[in-house]
Amino acid sequence: MTEDRRVFDYLLRLADSDLVLAQRLGEWVGHGPVLEEDIALTNVGLDLLGQARLWFAYAGEVEARFAEAGRSEDALAFLRDSGEFRNLLLVEQPNGNYADTMARQFYFDVWHQLLLVKLAHSRDPRIAEIAVKAEKEVVYHAERSADWIIRLGDGTDESHARIQAAIDDLWMYTGEMFDPDEIDTPLAEEGIGCDLRALEPAWREAVGSVLDEATLTLPGGTWMQRGGKKGVHTEHLGHMLATMQWLPRTYRGAEW
Amino acid sequence: MYAQMVDTGANKLRALEDMGPEERAFQERVDADVKIEPKDWMPEAYRKTLIRQISQHAHSEIVGMLPEGNWITRAPSLKRKAILMAKVQDEAGHGLYLYAAAETLGVSRDQLVADLHAGKAKYSSIFNYPTLTWADIGAIGWLVDGAAIMNQIPLCRCSFGPYSRAMIRVCKEESFHQRQGFDIMMTLCRGSAEQKAMAQDALNRWWWPSLMMFGPPDAVSNDELRQRFVDQTVPQADYLGITMPDPELKWNAERGHYDFGPIDWDELYNVVKGNGPCNRDRLQTRVKAWEEGAWVREAALAYAEKRAARAQKAA
């Protein structure tokens, strides 16, 4: 695999996780537990959607270096099937109840911030530039989701039980975040990507300390689901894409 | 988005000399165009009317998030998805500061929301129509927001300070939304035959309900605003190359206005009564979101109380 192909695939991973999570957050709009949360969830969703668009735009440019032409952000978002999506399995999990949504967000945000801090020093100046911009937004996402974990964990008996269940249920999708493959490893060595394994201790520490404060227990399970980066997804992604992609696929070639 | 005009309550005209000193001071401030602020004395009827109108407006923003939110997951491009999310978020923001304006009058948001859920408070009937295609998102921005702006501009000058200030901000954002809606329509009308048909179909379904937003013809101002809306909108439809679903619509050179056909007021009264295509769904959706969120709100409250107690103990 050429370097450009690797970078292209790497950018899709970043873009797809942002897009898929933004799409999930978009499902909440109008249905949040309180108006302020509707606004906040939409804010986070809009940030992630904006970041996805930046990654897609660069991915299209990189693709043009090895393919006949680079695809547009919309071609990448709407005309790839689930097997070509490179997002983490975690972010495609359904919204569930508010605890499920917040646990998913929390696991992701902590990782996302750690990753972007590293990518801000990427030798690829475009990756560094996007990461710097995105990290400024993700700091707030991570603060907000940690606050909710603490509130729900140390709130009522019901909220405690719900958030613990969500934290436990989603745990098996967190391993993938620290699991480098034949794309991550060379890119990390070249200083373009980052060493995913090195993120894990910091992530565990940050997650553990928030869970402690929330009076919650860090799950002990060791079996981790994998496949997102290779395009082997859970059943949920196909349904999401069916909804998201239906219009541009039905009216092929149309401008919107 | 917007609430239907609410009548201003029983405002018996009285001479200044018949009023007590407080009421006279109030009336003189209103007459002098000085804003009434929450801590000022105000007549009870004025307070009640304001609470009803502002809360109805806030409810409309919140219920209005649903028909448009219906298309966030299906927006046909990433740019349109971002614009739509931001728009629906603006509506939540409008709802929030309108509820805050109502709360300055001594009523809680929870009480207002409870009245909405119990069917005691109204919201704008326009949101009881379904959004069936992507073009509906364009038509709502173009027509519904357009009509809302026309209705709301007078409210920017309303005598109650918090409402007036809220409306100035709302109107600014609404005109932005209207342009975005028109842009969707323009893109569709310049697109394929199928896309243009989609735009025409949306216009067919949203035109008459939009005209009804100005309220029944019993008030002169309703008809004046409606005429202004028709005069403004017909040339825009011409520009788009789509036509209003009204065979009687034509330019009247003598009046200098467009003549248009009769409005089916039975339809509006039916929708107001609860028989619109989406009345039941809209309210059930709001109630469901509120009920399913109860444990989240309780948890936040319980945590805040625990934290306050700990801080007190530590002090």
Side-chain angles (χ1 to χ4, degrees):
Chain A
M1 193 184 272
T2 66
E3 164 126 339
D4 284 336
R5 274 187 184 276
R6 270 202 294 269
V7 172
F8 174 69
D9 209 84
Y10 192 72
L11 291 168
L12 288 184
R13 294 175 180 190
L14 297 166
D16 288 345
S17 283
D18 286 343
L19 173 62
V20 167
L21 188 51
Q23 175 79 3
R24 281 289 185 229
L25 293 175
E27 293 171 11
W28 268 107
V29 177
H31 308 275
V34 68
L35 200 43
E36 285 82 348
E37 285 308 294
D38 258 301
I39 294 174
L41 287 176
T42 314
N43 253 337
V44 176
L46 276 168
D47 283 347
L48 293 172
L49 183 54
Q51 293 171 20
R53 295 180 67 187
L54 294 172
W55 294 127
F56 278 138
Y58 185 37
E61 288 172 38
V62 173
E63 190 180 29
R65 293 178 198 154
F66 62 83
E68 255 177 54
R71 278 171 281 180
S72 68
E73 59 171 21
D74 286 333
L76 290 169
F78 294 99
L79 302 178
R80 281 179 302 146
D81 207 342
S82 61
E84 296 163 275
F85 267 72
R86 295 286 179 261
N87 60 282
L88 297 168
L89 299 178
L90 174 68
V91 294
E92 71 199 37
Q93 298 312 303
N95 285 341
N97 64 39
Y98 211 62
D100 298 319
T101 290
M102 279 302 143
R104 182 184 66 197
Q105 193 70 38
F106 173 61
Y107 282 154
F108 179 74
D109 289 344
V110 175
W111 175 80
H112 199 197
Q113 195 191 346
L114 292 168
L115 175 75
L116 291 171
V117 166
K118 293 285 181 201
L119 292 184
H121 302 288
S122 169
R123 266 188 43 235
D124 182 322
R126 288 290 300 282
I127 290 180
E129 186 190 326
I130 298 170
V132 166
K133 184 183 182 302
E135 200 263 338
K136 285 183 189 141
E137 297 169 342
V138 172
V139 172
Y140 292 103
H141 304 178
E143 276 177 20
R144 205 188 94 78
S145 53
D147 278 353
W148 269 108
I149 298 301
I150 294 165
R151 256 183 234 161
L152 295 179
D154 195 16
T156 62
D157 290 346
E158 182 181 6
S159 69
H160 181 92
R162 282 181 188 260
I163 190 66
Q164 184 68 62
I167 287 284
D168 293 346
D169 278 352
L170 291 170
W171 180 251
M172 66 179 174
Y173 298 112
T174 60
E176 198 181 27
M177 302 193 288
F178 312 107
D179 190 19
D181 63 6
E182 75 282 359
I183 285 176
D184 296 308
T185 303
L187 287 180
E189 282 163 4
E190 290 156 27
I192 291 171
C194 88
D195 179 1
L196 290 176
R197 280 210 180 91
L199 301 181
E200 191 168 10
W203 183 86
R204 272 189 175 256
E205 197 189 319
V207 167
S209 94
V210 170
L211 292 183
D212 264 355
E213 193 180 340
T215 71
L216 296 167
T217 312
L218 189 78
T222 52
W223 176 254
M224 292 290 168
Q225 302 295 339
R226 294 186 162 88
K229 291 191 226 189
K230 294 268 184 286
V232 184
H233 290 275
T234 60
E235 288 178 345
H236 306 294
L237 185 68
H239 291 279
M240 172 192 280
L241 296 184
T243 301
M244 185 176 90
Q245 299 181 333
W246 154 74
L247 204 45
R249 281 183 182 273
T250 304
Y251 301 93
R252 285 299 279 264
E255 298 278 335
W256 300 96
Chain B
M1 214 175 296
Y2 149 73
Q4 251 141 359
M5 288 300 250
V6 182
D7 59 56
T8 47
N11 249 345
K12 219 169 20 174
L13 279 176
R14 286 199 293 159
L16 276 181
E17 52 267 29
D18 296 337
M19 297 175 178
E22 282 176 322
E23 191 175 3
R24 189 183 304 182
F26 168 84
Q27 191 59 51
E28 281 168 354
R29 290 191 70 173
V30 172
D31 292 344
D33 249 348
V34 178
K35 297 291 177 214
I36 304 299
E37 296 301 330
K39 287 196 172 118
D40 296 337
W41 182 91
M42 63 186 78
E44 208 37 44
Y46 179 84
R47 182 188 303 273
K48 272 195 181 147
T49 301
L50 277 172
I51 290 175
R52 196 181 57 210
Q53 171 148 350
I54 299 172
S55 64
Q56 180 167 327
H57 193 159
H59 298 329
S60 299
E61 299 284 354
I62 302 316
V63 176
M65 292 168 71
L66 300 175
E68 291 182 283
N70 183 35
W71 281 89
I72 286 177
T73 58
R74 292 177 292 168
S77 74
L78 296 184
K79 183 181 141 203
R80 293 290 185 203
K81 192 189 288 291
I83 290 172
L84 183 58
M85 276 176 90
K87 184 188 177 190
V88 180
Q89 187 190 35
D90 281 348
E91 277 148 21
H94 296 170
L96 203 58
Y97 46 81
L98 285 164
Y99 281 127
E103 282 187 313
T104 66
L105 293 161
V107 58
S108 74
R109 198 210 302 183
D110 282 1
Q111 182 54 51
L112 297 174
V113 168
D115 287 347
L116 171 71
H117 293 172
K120 283 193 244 167
K122 296 237 173 287
Y123 57 88
S124 180
S125 289
I126 195 81
F127 305 122
N128 289 318
Y129 290 91
T131 49
L132 302 178
T133 75
W134 171 250
D136 289 25
I137 300 306
I140 286 181
W142 173 37
L143 301 174
V144 176
D145 290 334
I149 294 164
M150 233 169 234
N151 263 332
Q152 285 172 178
I153 280 172
L155 296 174
C156 298
R157 296 191 303 270
C158 118
S159 57
F160 185 56
Y163 194 29
S164 161
R165 289 187 289 272
M167 290 320 300
I168 290 169
R169 191 167 153 193
V170 168
C171 282
K172 266 187 206 155
E173 293 182 358
E174 293 299 0
S175 49
F176 194 56
H177 296 164
Q178 195 201 5
R179 281 202 296 277
Q180 292 166 341
F182 191 75
D183 187 64
I184 292 177
M185 294 302 277
M186 203 152 70
T187 308
L188 292 173
C189 289
R190 286 176 181 170
S192 66
E194 281 168 315
Q195 285 177 298
K196 193 165 178 183
M198 205 185 273
Q200 179 66 58
D201 167 66
L203 173 58
N204 292 349
R205 285 180 290 108
W206 289 95
W207 175 244
W208 291 110
S210 298
L211 293 189
M212 292 176 199
M213 284 175 67
F214 296 93
D218 48 9
V220 177
S221 62
N222 288 0
D223 284 329
E224 274 173 10
L225 287 172
R226 186 167 16 245
Q227 182 71 59
R228 197 183 297 170
F229 177 73
V230 172
D231 290 347
Q232 173 188 291
T233 311
V234 173
Q236 294 171 345
D238 289 345
Y239 180 77
L240 292 172
I242 48 182
T243 50
M244 306 304 183
D246 179 0
E248 292 178 45
L249 185 84
K250 65 168 191 293
W251 177 250
N252 182 328
E254 211 172 293
R255 289 203 308 126
H257 291 293
Y258 283 94
D259 292 336
F260 53 94
I263 293 171
D264 179 5
W265 293 110
D266 282 348
E267 177 180 324
L268 177 70
Y269 299 135
N270 251 309
V271 178
V272 170
K273 261 193 283 178
N275 297 330
C278 300
N279 293 58
R280 197 194 50 189
D281 284 357
R282 298 285 185 249
L283 206 55
Q284 279 179 355
T285 302
R286 285 310 315 157
V287 171
K288 184 167 177 269
W290 187 251
E291 285 174 354
E292 286 180 355
W295 69 272
V296 180
R297 297 190 301 275
E298 282 158 19
L301 197 66
Y303 176 71
E305 281 165 2
K306 278 186 202 175
R307 218 166 75 145
R310 277 177 216 145
Q312 208 173 20
K313 213 171 165 184

